[in-house]
Amino acid sequence: MTGPRYPSLIASLPETVPFVGPEVQERARGAEFAARLGANENVFGPSPKAVTAMQAATADLWKYADPTNFDLRNALSTHLTCTPENLIVGEGIDGLLGYLVRLLVDKGDAVVTSDGAYPTFNYHVAGFGGVLHKLPYHDDHENLEALLDKAAEVDAKLVYFANPDNPMGTWIDGARIEAALDRIPDGTVLILDEAYIEFAPKGTAPNIDPNDPRVIRFRTFSKGYGMAGARVGYGIAAPALIRAFDKIRNHFGMNRASQVGALAALLDPEWLAQTVANVTASKLEIDRIAAQNGLSTLPSATNFVAIDCGGNGDFARAVLAGLIARGVFVRMPFVAPQDRCIRISAGRPQDLTEFEQALPEALQAARTPA
Amino acid sequence: MTGPRYPSLIASLPETVPFVGPEVQERARGAEFAARLGANENVFGPSPKAVTAMQAATADLWKYADPTNFDLRNALSTHLTCTPENLIVGEGIDGLLGYLVRLLVDKGDAVVTSDGAYPTFNYHVAGFGGVLHKLPYHDDHENLEALLDKAAEVDAKLVYFANPDNPMGTWIDGARIEAALDRIPDGTVLILDEAYIEFAPKGTAPNIDPNDPRVIRFRTFSKGYGMAGARVGYGIAAPALIRAFDKIRNHFGMNRASQVGALAALLDPEWLAQTVANVTASKLEIDRIAAQNGLSTLPSATNFVAIDCGGNGDFARAVLAGLIARGVFVRMPFVAPQDRCIRISAGRPQDLTEFEQALPEALQAARTPA
């Protein structure tokens, strides 16, 4: 009865999770969070039209979803001014990142990212045996040109760059990305993760030919469209790379109601505009609360704000623990020097009231020697 | 501008899809199907309690799902008399099969299945570079003992065995599976795919210790529970193998409403019993329609019936094409000699009326030389 024999790569992987879910923490503390501001979820929720569409589709869930995501890709192609052949729809950006890494990264292949950028990408790279090269943030920004130069140095298959960035919320102009495209080395693909693009100022999204073989962009319905739990992300790339996903993806992996909901959400730009306005107002409130506690915030092009707690990582971790203990779910960067900050997702007024009450106490507790 | 460099395994994979979705066929023929009886979907649909639960959860879809699937695994552990540590929940059996193959199959590793069994499993094995060894069906049944002996011969990492079988609908007694467990070679894992188990006679599901390291069983909410488009499957295995999924799975890949819906469906055994009764009645109707056309059917422990068209594969393919052309979506086995059959999913009376009208015409057309 020996059971499974794991390949050496699998045997070497840790049983770790990129993120611990808030429900897990709630069970550990024996109480629900009073405010859920840790996962950059969009508490303003999906468009009511998307909700109605998904509810109507629920009784139809005996059917598998269309494996080609035809209707959604068609609508997205109009929205983005590209062709459906430039689009892959999948189970969130997380799912698509996993497929992309599998498509390109063989054991030992080099991959470049920033130290402290999206850990789920790193998880996928490790999971397929890639070798991660991490560059430091520059002044709390991912450093695109340095990442591309590093890619040339290590002959990387993939470079990860998020604009706007998570977890700091910083961003660079689209024009700077356009200017950097010619730095992409031969044989390297630049991942441009635009999960938060709907919250960013005009000009943040670069103009990139969707047929450019050097770039794949990822976007999602999880953030701006408020549908994280529906699991719909998409990639924009040259048709040859898009078709390659068909070699390996879970063709029938999409939820049928989610397809319908994403389509309805895309066709309700008024709701998106209102969400962005709500998020903007909420970020100003977070700035105000931080200032009230003598703390500074980073400018943000996302639906969250990084608050500089004014100390080192241990201090910020103590503040975070104090917030969690007081019923406010938040997260923070994993890596120094970004880990001097905590990261607060935009919330409704009632969510920020919880945060406003908890923050001074958490700061006080963190400053008090145990 | 060279773009992506694919590893040799990826470059070698075809851009093929295990199954073409009915929506793709509908667009090709320019009309919707009048009856959707090809994908073994359960047209009797989800429990109304599951529908209500999913609709209520829709407005909450701004939240990611609990990545541990805690509530659903807890309820399943009670239902199955095992522990939550014996259970992995994922994006349908398709998604879980992909994860399992990735966990165990390295390039060149041997895997054993039946020639004509579930093609999506084969797709995953090929996608990770495994070497498939296929044994013929025996008298329209997957041949468990021969599969296990083959596994010993080729030193297989995995053996795939579905009970009941798809696409033939046949099954073997659970007692025979229990008796065969000691044939599982050291270092081999037996996949017992029980996607259709809710439709099978008592005694079809074997008693297997959930901690047995040699076996992983898969079940789903897609078939008996009528929730194919919600994408919820689960695996039952020893905790060490279950934990290994955490090394590679898309932790936040589940739809939040689907988790809630599956839980509600599990807690409504009356609806399941009614569905099974509806399916049983429908299968008798399919038998009757076949007999009316001079055709025999195979006994089925699933929600579909294989009809022997009485000729070879080319003849059955012609009958299938005739049904498709007449607006009835059906599929058929890919491999001889099983491809003498077409496979009809259980349907409502109105679905079977469409089938009853189309079948004699399709047979007539198939018998008429072009």
Side-chain angles (χ1 to χ4, degrees):
Chain A
M1 302 239 294
T2 58
R5 286 174 290 172
Y6 300 102
S8 56
L9 168 62
I10 296 293
S12 74
L13 295 174
E15 284 164 13
T16 51
V17 181
F19 292 106
V20 177
E23 292 82 3
V24 178
Q25 295 173 268
E26 286 175 335
R27 286 189 293 270
R29 58 192 291 276
E32 289 195 5
F33 285 118
R36 186 168 163 128
L37 302 173
N40 301 340
E41 294 161 326
N42 176 350
V43 69
F44 303 104
S47 154
K49 291 177 184 169
V51 170
T52 301
M54 288 190 281
Q55 288 177 335
T58 299
D60 259 357
L61 281 174
W62 61 271
K63 299 178 188 174
Y64 288 103
D66 170 15
T68 68
N69 298 288
F70 183 86
D71 293 336
L72 182 56
R73 283 166 64 226
N74 252 15
L76 283 168
S77 71
T78 303
H79 178 71
L80 300 164
T81 322
C82 64
T83 73
E85 290 69 35
N86 291 117
L87 294 167
I88 177 80
V89 169
E91 307 90 332
I93 293 181
D94 281 3
L96 290 168
L97 282 172
Y99 292 141
L100 180 69
V101 171
R102 179 172 164 199
L103 278 179
L104 290 178
V105 177
D106 212 350
K107 281 171 206 165
D109 281 348
V111 176
V112 174
T113 188
S114 304
D115 196 14
Y118 194 48
T120 302
F121 176 68
N122 302 356
Y123 167 81
H124 288 309
V125 172
F128 288 103
V131 177
L132 267 172
H133 299 266
K134 297 180 186 176
L135 291 192
Y137 276 55
H138 177 74
D139 195 18
D140 296 322
H141 289 68
E142 296 186 32
N143 190 344
L144 178 60
E145 295 80 5
L147 292 166
L148 293 175
D149 292 349
K150 186 71 178 181
E153 180 195 325
V154 300
D155 191 26
K157 289 280 194 79
L158 279 173
V159 177
Y160 178 88
F161 179 72
N163 193 49
D165 168 69
N166 174 22
M168 304 311 279
T170 52
W171 72 103
I172 66 171
D173 280 348
R176 186 171 146 198
I177 300 175
E178 292 164 22
L181 292 180
D182 285 338
R183 271 175 125 115
I184 302 173
D186 277 355
T188 297
V189 171
L190 171 66
I191 300 169
L192 178 58
D193 183 343
E194 300 185 316
Y196 296 95
I197 196 68
E198 291 85 4
F199 302 110
K202 230 183 194 339
T204 305
N207 286 311
I208 298 178
D209 180 349
N211 297 309
D212 190 323
R214 303 169 300 181
V215 183
I216 184 165
R217 306 165 83 140
F218 287 117
R219 295 186 178 182
T220 181
F221 287 87
S222 296
K223 305 299 183 186
Y225 294 96
M227 291 172 52
R231 309 283 62 220
V232 187
Y234 59 99
I236 312 165
L241 178 54
I242 294 297
R243 282 197 308 273
F245 282 83
D246 278 346
K247 297 180 171 197
I248 59 155
R249 71 187 178 97
N250 188 4
H251 288 266
F252 288 86
M254 292 295 294
N255 180 296
R256 187 176 181 97
S258 296
Q259 287 180 328
V260 169
L263 183 57
L266 189 70
L267 301 179
D268 189 2
E270 292 79 13
W271 181 263
L272 177 63
Q274 186 183 315
T275 294
V276 172
N278 285 334
V279 165
T280 302
S282 180
K283 290 194 293 185
L284 291 172
E285 266 297 282
I286 297 170
D287 289 344
R288 183 188 64 73
I289 294 166
Q292 190 172 277
N293 287 274
L295 306 180
S296 65
T297 57
L298 276 68
S300 162
T302 65
N303 72 331
F304 60 86
V305 177
I307 298 179
D308 186 334
C309 290
N312 62 11
D314 288 336
F315 180 70
R317 276 183 284 279
V319 175
L320 185 96
L323 290 169
I324 299 277
R326 287 165 181 80
V328 180
F329 168 55
V330 291
R331 288 189 179 137
M332 60 178 287
F334 294 113
V335 171
Q338 297 97 283
D339 70 353
R340 71 191 189 282
C341 297
I342 56 174
R343 193 194 68 179
I344 316 297
S345 307
R348 297 161 300 186
Q350 63 266 41
D351 301 313
L352 296 187
T353 299
E354 297 287 340
F355 175 62
E356 184 167 12
Q357 285 173 357
L359 181 60
E361 296 174 22
L363 284 165
Q364 174 73 24
R367 286 171 183 144
T368 308
Chain B
M1 303 238 295
T2 58
R5 286 174 290 173
Y6 300 102
S8 55
L9 169 62
I10 296 293
S12 75
L13 295 174
E15 284 164 12
T16 51
V17 181
F19 291 105
V20 177
E23 291 82 3
V24 178
Q25 294 174 268
E26 287 175 334
R27 285 189 294 271
R29 58 191 291 275
E32 289 196 5
F33 284 117
R36 186 168 164 128
L37 302 173
N40 300 339
E41 295 161 327
N42 175 350
V43 68
F44 302 104
S47 153
K49 291 178 183 169
V51 170
T52 300
M54 288 190 280
Q55 288 178 336
T58 300
D60 259 358
L61 281 174
W62 62 271
K63 300 178 189 173
Y64 289 102
D66 171 14
T68 68
N69 299 289
F70 183 85
D71 293 337
L72 181 56
R73 283 166 63 227
N74 252 16
L76 283 168
S77 72
T78 303
H79 179 70
L80 298 164
T81 321
C82 64
T83 73
E85 290 69 35
N86 292 117
L87 293 167
I88 177 78
V89 169
E91 306 91 334
I93 293 179
D94 281 3
L96 290 167
L97 282 172
Y99 291 141
L100 180 68
V101 172
R102 179 172 165 200
L103 278 178
L104 290 177
V105 177
D106 212 350
K107 283 170 206 163
D109 281 348
V111 175
V112 174
T113 187
S114 305
D115 196 14
Y118 195 47
T120 302
F121 176 68
N122 301 357
Y123 167 82
H124 289 309
V125 172
F128 288 102
V131 177
L132 267 173
H133 299 266
K134 297 180 185 177
L135 291 192
Y137 275 57
H138 177 75
D139 195 19
D140 295 322
H141 288 69
E142 297 187 30
N143 190 344
L144 178 60
E145 295 80 5
L147 292 166
L148 293 175
D149 291 349
K150 186 71 178 180
E153 180 195 325
V154 300
D155 192 26
K157 288 281 194 77
L158 280 173
V159 177
Y160 178 87
F161 178 72
N163 192 50
D165 168 70
N166 175 21
M168 303 312 279
T170 51
W171 72 101
I172 66 172
D173 280 348
R176 185 171 146 199
I177 300 175
E178 292 163 24
L181 291 180
D182 285 339
R183 270 175 125 115
I184 301 172
D186 277 355
T188 298
V189 171
L190 171 66
I191 300 169
L192 178 57
D193 183 341
E194 299 185 316
Y196 296 93
I197 196 70
E198 291 86 4
F199 302 109
K202 229 180 193 348
T204 306
N207 286 312
I208 298 179
D209 180 349
N211 297 310
D212 190 323
R214 304 169 298 181
V215 182
I216 185 165
R217 306 166 82 138
F218 287 117
R219 295 186 179 183
T220 182
F221 286 87
S222 297
K223 305 299 181 186
Y225 295 97
M227 291 173 53
R231 308 283 61 219
V232 187
Y234 57 99
I236 312 165
L241 179 53
I242 294 297
R243 282 197 308 274
F245 283 82
D246 278 347
K247 297 180 170 196
I248 58 155
R249 71 188 177 97
N250 187 5
H251 288 266
F252 289 86
M254 291 296 294
N255 180 295
R256 188 177 180 97
S258 297
Q259 286 180 329
V260 169
L263 183 56
L266 188 71
L267 301 178
D268 189 2
E270 292 79 12
W271 180 263
L272 177 62
Q274 187 183 314
T275 294
V276 171
N278 285 333
V279 165
T280 302
S282 179
K283 290 194 292 187
L284 290 173
E285 266 297 281
I286 297 170
D287 288 344
R288 182 189 64 74
I289 294 166
Q292 189 172 277
N293 287 274
L295 306 180
S296 66
T297 57
L298 275 68
S300 163
T302 65
N303 73 331
F304 60 85
V305 177
I307 298 180
D308 187 334
C309 290
N312 62 11
D314 288 338
F315 181 72
R317 275 183 285 279
V319 175
L320 185 96
L323 290 168
I324 299 278
R326 287 164 181 81
V328 179
F329 168 55
V330 291
R331 288 188 179 135
M332 61 179 286
F334 295 113
V335 172
Q338 298 96 283
D339 68 356
R340 71 190 190 282
C341 297
I342 56 174
R343 193 194 67 177
I344 316 296
S345 307
R348 296 162 301 187
Q350 63 266 42
D351 302 314
L352 297 187
T353 298
E354 297 288 340
F355 175 62
E356 183 167 12
Q357 284 171 359
L359 181 60
E361 296 174 21
L363 283 165
Q364 172 74 26
R367 285 172 185 143
T368 307

